[in-house]
Structures are given as C-alpha cells and as structure tokens.
Amino acid sequence: MNGDASHSKKKPKLSPPEISAEFSHHDPAVARINNGSFGCCPRSVTAAQRDWQHQFLRQPDNFFLNLLQPAISRSRSLVASLVNAPHVDQISLVDNATTAAAIFLQHCAWSFAEGRFSPGDAAVMLHYAYGAVKKSVEAYITRAGGHVIEVDLPFPVKSEDEIITEFRKALAKGKSEGRKVRIAVIDHVTSMPAVVIPVKELVKICREEGVEQVFVDAAHGIGCVDVDVQEIGADFYTSNLHKWFFCPPSVAFLYCRNQSNAGGDTQLQLHHPVVSHEYGNGLPVESGWIGTRDYSAQLVVPSAAEFVERFPGGIDGIKAGNHSAVVEMGEMLAKAWGTNLGSPPEMCGSMIMVGLPACLGIGSESDSLKLRTHLRDCFAVEVPIYFNKRRHDRRGEEEAGGVITGYVRISYQVYNKVEDYERLRDAVDKLVNDGFTCASLVEPESD
Amino acid sequence: METSEDHGNGELNHLTKKPRLTRFITESAIADEFAHHQPGVARINNGSFGSCPGSVLSSQREWQLKFLRQPDDFYFNGLRKGILRSRTLVKDLVGAADVEEVSLIDNATTGAAIVLQQIGRAFAEGRFDRNDAVLMFHCAFQAVKKSMEAYVRRAGGSVIEVRLPFPILCDEEIITEFRKGLEKAKSNGRKVRLAIIDHITSMPSVVTPVKELVRICREEGVDQVFVDAAHAIGSVEVNVQEIGADFYVSNLHKWFFCPPSVAFLYCKKSGSSLDAHHPVVSHEYGNGLPTESSWIGTRDYSSQLAVPTAFEFVNSFEGGIRGIMKRNHDEVVKMGEMLAESWGTNLGAPPEMCASMVMVGLPSRLYVTSDDDALRLRSHLRAYYGVEVPIHYQGPRDGEDGVKDEYGIVTAYVRISHQVYNTLDDYCKLRDAINQIVDNKKTCKTLLIE
C-alpha cells in the first residue's frame, strides 16, 4: 500500500559526502546534538517542499481544487503503511503532536460537558508528560471537571518493571478513591528525561483495568522507535514526522483506531478545533482543510520516505544505526565524566540521558537553562539539559556535594559525527577543570 | 494610521537587499515581483487566496533557513522578538491601543474558532442560558457557519441568521435587516451573547456599514461583537477602536501581500480578563492569547515573521497601502462597469459599497440555476479560457422579480478582484469569454469542463 507510485526507478544509497551535502544548511560551527527537540530536514526534501509551495503560489485556485487533496491522501496512505494501520481512514495529518493532543483532549472536554464523563472522573498521565500536553490536560480536562492522576516515574530508571509498577499504583489509586479512570495519556518516549516507555504493556494494563481510551503521545515515535499501531493497541497514537522522519516543520499524524467518518455521530467523533468547510466529514478530511495556509509540509511525506530508502535498511537501518551510535557516545561521555546513564540502553531509542558531573552545581531549572546557553554561546554545543528535581530535593546532607542532578539529553541522527560528542565531552571537562559552577553564571537577559 | 516612516523596522533591512533606484516601484518591477504567477491565466480572484510578491517570499525563505540552520538558537533568541515586531507593526496599522490586544494566527478561520470556542464554553459551563442567541449573516463564510455548529449549536446556543439583501443599493438595506435579525434574536427574553458581523462579505461580496452595525449591537445590549474582516486589511481602512468591536480578525495574506498564511486577531482589552485561548494548547497557556499564539508547538512561523517585509513592499508604492487601496478600488469599479456594459447586466452593489472586489451580473442567457451550474461555468472558464474568477449563484427570492437584463433574470454574478498585478487584459479576457459562450448559445449545463 505504498502511496508513492510516481518514482519507478529506485535511487542509489547515499554516500557519506552526500549525506553531509544533504545537511549542509546546518550551521557548520555547531555540534548539533539535539535532534530530539526540533528534528531536521534534508535538502532534497526542502526542495520538494518548495516545489509544492510554488504550485500553490502559481495558481492557488487550481491547487486547492485539483491538487491538494489527492496529495494529502497520498501522504496519509504512506503513513498508514509505515505504522501498520489497517486503513487509511484511521490516519489524519496535523501540524504536530501538540495539536493531536488538543484534538483528543477537546473531545474529552466535550465528553464531560455532554455527560458521557462525570465530574471527578480521572485522567492518568505520566509525571514526565510533555509540558505542553500537561497544559492541554489542564485546559481541557481539569477545567471540565476531570481529576488528573500523575504516574510517579523514577529517574534514573533501571528497568521497565519500575515503570509498570508505578503505573499500576496510579490506576489503583484512582480505583481506591472510587474514581472511574476514563482516559490514559502515555508517552511512547518521554521528552525530558528521555526514556522509552513499555507502552504495549501499559496499554494492556489499561485494558485489564477498564480504562476506556488510551492516547499514546509518541512525538518522538516514528523514526526513533518501532511503531506498529496495531501491536501497541492504543485507541489513539500520534507522532511527529519532522522530528525523526526528515519532514520539514511541521507535520505529524494522528491514528484513531475506531473513528467513523462522514455520517457518524458528530458528538462521538474527534474534530479539528479549527473548524472549516469539512466539519463533520471525519477527522482526516477535516484536517485536510483548516483554512488557507501552507500545507506543503504534509505533501512531502513521500519525498521523505524516498530519502529514507536511500539508507541501507531504510528507516529500520537508520533507527538501528542511531541507537547503537547514541549508546556508544553516551557510554563514552559517562566514562569520561565519571557519571552514569539515565536508563539502560534497551530503554533508549535515538536519544540517551548522560549524567553531568555533580560539581557543576546544577540546582534548578534555571541553572540547567543557563548552562545550556553557556554551552551554546561559549562552546558552540547545542544540547538540552535536564534538571532532576526529585533527586535534587531528596538528596541527603552527606550527599550534597556528590549527587548528579543534571543530565544532558544527547541525540544521534544521520548527520552527526563523533566530533560533535567529543566537543561536548571536552567542554564539560574544561568546565570541571576550571572549577565552574552554575552559580557563577549571570541571569540571562529576557528575550 | 501611522505613516510609513514610523514603522521602526529599519533594522530588518539586512533581510532584504533591494536597491532603491526610483522613488516608487515601477510597472516592470511589479511584474517581476509576481513573475511566479502562472502566465496565461487571467487571475481575477485575489479575494480567495491572496497573493505574495517575490521579495516577501524571499524574506520568508530566509526565516525558514534560519530555523533549519540552528532551530534551538532560533527558538530561544529569534522567534519571539520577530513575532513581537510583526505584531507591533500590525497594531500601528489598525489603530489598536495596545500591542497586547494583537495576536498573530494562521487565518480568519482560526480566529473564528478562538472566539466561538469561548462562547461554546460559556454555554457548556452554564454561564449562558440554553438557547441564548448568536447572530450572523446568512451569507457568513461557510467555515464560520460550521464553527457555529461545532461550538454554539452543539453547546446549546441558538443561531439567528440575518439576511443580506443582494443585489443591494445602499447601507440602509443592511441596517434594516440587521435590526430585524436582532429583534428576532432577542425574542422570548433571550440574551444575544454574540453578533458576528462581516466587514466585507465573501459571497456575494459587499462592504457592510460595520461601524453602524456595531453601534446598534451596543444599543441593543449584545454581549460581544466579533467582526470577521477576512478581506479587510489592505482593501478598506481599518481602525479597530473606531469600529469598536470586541474581536476583529483579518487575513494578511489576502490583500496585504503576506505569504500563506498569517492573520491578526484583535481582542479589545476589557475590565474582566479574557477567556479566549488558542485551541492548540502549549507551554504558554494562560499567558495571554498573543503569547499563546506565538508558540503552538513546532511549526513554520515564517509567514508571521515576514510581515515587516510586506510593509516594506507596500511602502514602495505611491501612497503606501492607501494608494494601493484607492487604485485597486478605482480600477475594479471601472472594470466592473466595463463588463456590465458589455454584457448588458448590472453591478451587484454600488461602488461605495465595494472595496477591491466587485460583483458583476452575468448574462441571463447562461441560465445559471444552481451552485453546481456556477461551479461548472467557473471550471469551464478556467479550463477553456484561462480565466480564474469565482461565480456566485443568486437564486430569486419568493415574491421578488429579481434584477433583469434584456433577456431574463440575472441569477449569477462574477466576483472580480483587482490587485496590483492585474492588467486590463485580464478583464478583457473574461469579457470576451462570456460573450463568446453566450454567442455560441451555450448554457451552463452544456459546458465542458475537462
């Protein structure tokens, strides 16, 4: 069910210099170790995107009436086959996982307003859920009268069992309070700190415990971990395509297991919050037109898939390569700094958390941001830093000097080189040798 | 309205390196700016999707490259400053009192969703009574009508439609219908919670007496007034304080040369805090709509960031945006009158109720009897004559004769636009195409569209 039938000749595999050329627009001075935040897009895909933009600008009426929807359908079909969704009608394209979360959570808010859910009914989410999703849960669930239960996750984490145990505890808590747990929002890969969650197992537990709807936030999913939506078994699954699947900013998909299309009960359907002409015709069609805007990022999914095929093993080959490289780099850094990894390699995808030396004195979120800025400005290293507040707060008196409270989240994508991580290693080594602490950093001027 | 010297965007000139050899932009430079438009197409539909000159597209590309080059640095150090700069220019342009009243969003459709979501919430949370009313024109843009269904009707509100008389002769006709609609809305002791007023209706297109209508809403105790001005900025004068609405939205990519897509939503500061939120909730939730809208997850914000370059483009014309508006208006009226004379038909509204678009009656002998017929004719014009123009079917109302030409009742109108790239030839092509179809004794139903 490959929607991209227009290329009959397969392009040859990319050589290392060709890969570099595809990413030559990246700032060459920067050790770009943060693919996780904003992703990346190769030249050949941005070129394809420009072609689509040009088609619209050239004759927008014709584009809108004759070209746009078939191209969106093509992209959706391709995504369906990538994630093993049985039917293309289950796949909608939206801007990003944040939008997908809003779509799902707004639907939950309606469920409260229309009496399908009762005040006090619970939503379960992970403590490390993405900040934007937490705000969305506040805006749509809490405001509508729902009760939120957070699953306390350990970090550093040693095994999947630790996560499963905490998840069961959270569900039991809901039960003991006499609450009906209506929905669960589960990350496939948490953002900060980045850990691969045993999502299939958690979905199974949800089914056992009668949780009605499970939404998997896999912003980092496709291209970073294996995604088979049928195997995972969630009701909803969203992933960004611009993070680890080489699409331009921005495009994501939302998979809905049981979504009826046009003609279904409009109250039971999910809807795009920006309502336009196609309202009521099913989420995929609604999302295909939300007013005049640039849809070109959605249209180049086939071009991104073509790019991926130019690597041995396609997306699976890239994933495997990224994973082993990021683990190798993580272990190199942990050894050099005398610290530890935040989770075992089998709980990592293309990102890994590496402890920073305790002497750097990361004592707050603000410290982690200041240090990140310092690394960018003085060492040309781009890497996000996680402040482990829980560990920091619970450290004993005698541990004060030695507890690791900060972790870098390093990513590995096809454009990265060993030198990128060596630069990070050396930068931190220098800071340690210079007796640097975060306390010495001045508060940055606000933007 | 601020003059072109006050924009304070001098520091952005490093983004565009256009040498200023003459005082104002020349005809050939304009043609160059729009060289990416498909040649051979008489593009008489700026109203639907707008247009964007090459220099603004270049600026947009630079912003896109900046993000791709180092996205983290862009996010932490460039994005918000850039958006604030754009918002400030818009605030000055539309006469808003405070930049905190101006948010940048994708398009007017998004603006409607923001306004209507908060109305729907008020119904759902019991702050409004079931069946309290929301008022809109019957010809409100289809997306807005659907949004009313999704947020108002669904939450228990009732929707009252005001008929827009068309063809129309004067503002009074609209004011009369509006008052009638308000009375109906208020009947049975209902509160009118929101009135949605188009500044320029889409199809059929007329400029409404929006200031007067807002005043009437205030007199009659309507809670909130939302002006859907998708077409307004760059085609009519806009002073949001004078208009006096609570919400005012307009697309910058239609008539203000911005890339697709960017619009502004003005929300008047009031005593009570505003409950309007961007529906895509992200980190900035609760920090005010402008800030919420400036980050709704990773996406391409370049069209919002390219706004200052659109101002630069506009200011390269004699008279700036006012000069452009006046010339567009004069030309589109002239062209409309030329077409009406050639076809023996009428204009749908007097020139003073038009901005940069005019409705021109199509010959009755085309026998347009439905929306499908209108679409068919439009497709035929595109495929066989290289003319792009939207067509409105205006069915006759019961008990009314309707406007007639020599041969029968006029049931359809073209909506012609004029923007700086249009030439006389565009309209001659349309004129001749229609005349040929009529001369060949073809009616809509018999037209080929492939």
Side-chain angles (χ1 to χ4, degrees):
Chain A
M1 198 163 88
N2 184 353
D4 185 12
S6 57
H7 302 265
S8 47
K9 199 169 89 164
K10 265 205 166 127
K11 291 198 174 136
K13 303 295 180 208
L14 289 166
S15 65
E18 284 175 323
I19 297 172
S20 292
E22 285 279 3
F23 294 98
S24 56
H25 53 283
H26 287 190
D27 189 342
V30 174
R32 184 168 165 149
I33 331 186
N34 187 21
N35 196 74
S37 283
F38 300 106
C40 63
C41 186
R43 278 186 181 283
S44 47
V45 178
T46 53
Q49 185 189 22
R50 259 198 304 281
D51 282 344
W52 283 110
Q53 289 167 334
H54 186 75
Q55 296 240 47
F56 172 85
L57 294 164
R58 188 174 152 77
Q59 218 296 41
D61 300 80
N62 183 56
F63 180 89
F64 164 62
L65 286 162
N66 298 320
L67 301 180
L68 180 61
Q69 295 311 322
I72 289 182
S73 290
R74 212 173 295 137
S75 290
R76 285 170 53 211
S77 292
L78 188 50
V79 170
S81 63
L82 272 169
V83 304
N84 197 25
H87 204 286
V88 70
D89 284 348
Q90 296 169 311
I91 301 290
S92 305
L93 295 182
V94 297
D95 275 353
N96 44 42
T98 299
T99 304
I103 288 172
F104 170 68
L105 292 169
Q106 188 184 56
H107 175 67
C108 294
W110 278 118
S111 294
F112 278 102
E114 291 166 342
R116 290 184 296 278
F117 295 173
S118 308
D121 282 355
V124 168
M125 72 178 177
L126 305 184
H127 172 67
Y128 294 128
Y130 191 58
V133 173
K134 285 191 160 181
K135 293 277 188 178
S136 211
V137 167
E138 186 190 319
Y140 287 116
I141 303 284
T142 311
R143 178 161 180 174
H147 177 84
V148 178
I149 300 174
E150 282 194 11
V151 179
D152 206 3
L153 289 185
F155 186 79
V157 63
K158 292 200 199 57
S159 76
E160 291 185 348
D161 284 337
E162 294 185 13
I163 295 177
I164 291 168
T165 303
E166 290 299 329
F167 193 77
R168 283 196 188 280
K169 265 205 298 205
L171 285 182
K173 180 162 186 271
K175 241 189 189 154
S176 73
E177 294 171 354
R179 298 183 188 282
K180 181 108 185 67
V181 178
R182 294 289 186 178
I183 68 167
V185 175
I186 306 174
D187 299 62
H188 194 154
V189 181
T190 50
S191 175
M192 278 299 231
V195 175
V196 177
I197 304 291
V199 75
K200 199 167 132 186
E201 186 65 37
L202 297 187
V203 171
K204 222 169 63 158
I205 294 170
C206 284
R207 300 304 181 207
E208 285 166 11
E209 299 295 320
V211 176
E212 283 181 21
Q213 299 190 338
V214 182
F215 177 91
V216 173
D217 175 4
H220 287 278
I222 196 158
C224 180
V225 287
D226 289 337
V227 177
D228 182 324
V229 291
Q230 291 191 72
E231 248 204 55
I232 290 165
D235 301 286
F236 306 97
Y237 188 100
T238 184
S239 183
N240 287 325
L241 293 164
H242 52 265
K243 268 198 204 289
W244 297 95
F245 203 75
F246 306 104
C247 287
S250 66
V251 53
F253 73 87
L254 172 57
Y255 157 83
C256 303
R257 195 165 67 141
N258 299 320
Q259 278 296 290
S260 57
N261 290 306
D265 185 343
T266 184
Q267 283 198 355
L268 297 180
Q269 290 178 325
L270 259 59
H271 296 283
H272 199 291
V274 177
V275 177
S276 190
H277 298 67
E278 299 287 358
Y279 178 72
N281 290 338
L283 183 65
V285 174
E286 286 187 12
S287 305
W289 186 257
I290 51 173
T292 298
R293 62 196 300 263
D294 185 348
Y295 293 88
S296 62
Q298 297 185 7
L299 308 179
V300 294
V301 178
S303 303
E306 221 182 84
F307 175 78
V308 156
E309 285 311 312
R310 301 192 67 192
F311 289 79
I315 194 62
D316 290 331
I318 293 173
K319 258 185 296 182
N322 284 349
H323 174 73
S324 60
V326 86
V327 169
E328 194 186 316
M329 294 299 103
E331 286 172 343
M332 185 259 296
L333 292 170
K335 185 153 176 230
W337 298 337
T339 60
N340 58 290
L341 298 181
S343 66
E346 57 272 19
M347 292 182 76
C348 301
S350 309
M351 300 182 291
I352 200 164
M353 307 298 291
V354 187
L356 284 165
C359 59
L360 293 176
I362 298 163
S364 64
E365 286 273 355
S366 165
D367 280 350
S368 66
L369 201 57
K370 282 194 285 187
L371 178 55
R372 177 179 181 176
T373 305
H374 188 72
L375 284 172
R376 180 187 308 120
D377 293 345
C378 300
F379 295 94
V381 171
E382 187 62 58
V383 69
I385 299 175
Y386 172 66
F387 167 61
N388 194 357
K389 187 177 191 312
R390 260 104 163 279
R391 189 65 187 92
H392 175 265
D393 290 348
R394 289 180 199 156
R395 73 199 194 287
E397 284 298 323
E398 67 280 13
E399 284 185 295
V403 168
I404 292 173
T405 53
Y407 286 75
V408 285
R409 183 186 79 184
I410 61 168
S411 295
Y412 193 98
Q413 186 46 295
V414 299
Y415 55 80
N416 283 118
K417 307 253 183 321
V418 176
E419 295 79 67
D420 297 330
Y421 307 87
E422 288 172 343
R423 181 135 37 123
L424 170 61
R425 175 198 63 197
D426 297 342
V428 170
D429 282 344
K430 182 171 191 325
L431 291 175
V432 168
N433 290 336
D434 290 349
F436 168 94
T437 63
C438 286
S440 67
L441 285 170
V442 178
E443 201 63 47
E445 305 224 333
S446 49
D447 189 324
Chain B
M1 208 153 86
E2 297 291 339
T3 57
S4 57
E5 294 82 49
D6 296 335
H7 289 141
N9 60 351
E11 69 264 35
L12 276 180
N13 284 335
H14 70 279
L15 285 176
T16 57
K17 298 178 184 74
K18 200 168 56 179
R20 196 74 77 82
L21 298 172
T22 54
R23 180 110 167 75
F24 299 120
I25 191 170
T26 62
E27 286 297 322
S28 73
I30 296 172
D32 277 346
E33 286 278 11
F34 294 97
H36 54 277
H37 285 189
Q38 186 172 350
V41 171
R43 184 167 164 148
I44 334 186
N45 187 21
N46 197 75
S48 282
F49 300 105
S51 54
C52 187
S55 49
V56 178
L57 293 172
S58 292
S59 161
Q60 183 193 23
R61 253 195 310 278
E62 286 191 34
W63 283 107
Q64 287 168 337
L65 279 171
K66 236 175 141 167
F67 173 86
L68 293 170
R69 186 174 159 80
Q70 219 296 45
D72 302 78
D73 184 46
F74 181 89
Y75 171 75
F76 285 108
N77 298 323
L79 179 61
R80 276 171 192 76
K81 268 197 285 236
I83 290 185
L84 180 59
R85 201 173 291 140
S86 296
R87 284 169 53 209
T88 306
L89 285 172
V90 170
K91 166 234 169 203
D92 289 340
L93 179 65
V94 304
D98 190 336
V99 74
E100 286 313 307
E101 295 176 317
V102 177
S103 304
L104 294 184
I105 53 179
D106 275 354
N107 45 42
T109 299
T110 306
I114 290 172
V115 174
L116 292 174
Q117 188 185 49
Q118 48 112 32
I119 294 286
R121 203 173 257 146
F123 276 105
E125 292 173 354
R127 284 177 280 120
F128 293 173
D129 292 332
R130 262 194 99 74
N131 291 319
D132 275 354
V134 176
L135 193 73
M136 71 176 177
F137 280 109
H138 88 279
C139 62
F141 194 59
Q142 178 68 347
V144 175
K145 287 188 157 182
K146 293 284 187 178
S147 213
M148 289 279 255
E149 205 183 302
Y151 288 114
V152 177
R153 278 208 188 86
R154 180 172 182 177
S158 54
V159 177
I160 308 295
E161 291 191 357
V162 173
R163 190 179 77 93
L164 182 89
F166 187 82
I168 190 166
L169 290 168
C170 62
D171 284 347
E172 268 313 308
E173 295 187 46
I174 296 181
I175 291 168
T176 303
E177 286 296 325
F178 194 77
R179 281 193 186 282
K180 269 202 296 200
L182 260 181
E183 259 206 55
K184 181 167 172 218
K186 286 167 79 171
S187 63
N188 304 327
R190 274 188 302 212
K191 277 269 316 148
V192 182
R193 295 298 182 177
L194 179 75
I196 304 181
I197 304 173
D198 297 59
H199 193 155
I200 302 178
T201 55
S202 175
M203 277 301 230
S205 184
V206 302
V207 179
T208 67
V210 68
K211 251 196 306 211
E212 181 70 18
L213 297 177
V214 173
R215 203 184 54 75
I216 292 170
C217 285
R218 300 303 184 203
E219 272 173 18
E220 299 293 320
V222 173
D223 269 9
Q224 290 186 333
V225 182
F226 168 45
V227 174
D228 176 2
H231 286 276
I233 196 85
S235 59
V236 288
E237 288 277 348
V238 174
N239 184 313
V240 291
Q241 291 194 70
E242 271 187 33
I243 289 166
D246 300 286
F247 303 100
Y248 188 101
V249 73
S250 189
N251 288 325
L252 291 158
H253 54 263
K254 269 198 202 291
W255 295 95
F256 208 81
F257 306 105
C258 289
S261 65
V262 52
F264 72 87
L265 174 61
Y266 160 83
C267 303
K268 183 157 78 165
K269 255 195 182 148
S270 62
S272 54
S273 76
L274 200 56
D275 192 32
H277 293 279
H278 198 292
V280 178
V281 176
S282 190
H283 302 292
E284 299 286 2
Y285 178 70
N287 290 339
L289 185 63
T291 303
E292 286 185 11
S293 305
S294 71
W295 187 257
I296 51 173
T298 298
R299 61 196 302 264
D300 185 348
Y301 294 90
S302 63
S303 47
Q304 297 185 6
L305 298 166
V307 169
T309 319
F311 275 83
E312 271 180 43
F313 177 75
V314 154
N315 291 331
S316 69
F317 285 77
E318 185 172 357
I321 192 61
R322 281 203 176 109
I324 291 173
M325 290 194 296
K326 178 166 181 0
R327 286 188 294 274
N328 278 346
H329 173 74
D330 291 346
E331 283 305 307
V332 85
V333 167
K334 204 162 105 186
M335 293 299 103
E337 288 171 343
M338 172 195 63
L339 293 170
E341 201 193 306
S342 172
W343 298 337
T345 59
N346 58 303
L347 297 185
E352 58 271 19
M353 293 183 78
C354 300
S356 311
M357 298 184 291
V358 157
M359 305 296 290
V360 187
L362 281 167
S364 62
R365 284 183 289 173
L366 289 171
Y367 292 108
V368 179
T369 61
S370 66
D371 288 332
D372 278 348
D373 283 352
L375 202 57
R376 204 176 174 79
L377 177 56
R378 177 178 181 178
S379 302
H380 182 78
L381 286 170
R382 180 186 308 115
Y384 284 80
Y385 292 93
V387 172
E388 188 61 60
V389 71
I391 299 175
H392 170 70
Y393 164 63
Q394 180 71 27
R397 269 169 60 88
D398 292 336
E400 279 184 14
D401 275 343
V403 171
K404 290 195 171 103
D405 65 10
E406 197 186 327
Y407 302 91
I409 302 173
V410 171
T411 55
Y413 291 75
V414 286
R415 183 186 76 185
I416 60 168
S417 296
H418 188 283
Q419 187 44 295
V420 299
Y421 55 80
N422 284 118
T423 62
L424 171 63
D425 195 55
D426 296 331
Y427 307 89
C428 292
K429 268 177 98 161
L430 171 62
R431 174 197 64 196
D432 298 342
I434 293 293
N435 284 335
Q436 191 173 94
I437 294 170
V438 169
D439 287 346
N440 291 345
K441 300 206 172 4
K442 294 240 177 272
T443 63
C444 281
K445 289 178 172 40
T446 65
L447 291 173
L448 299 168
I449 58 174
E450 302 289 322

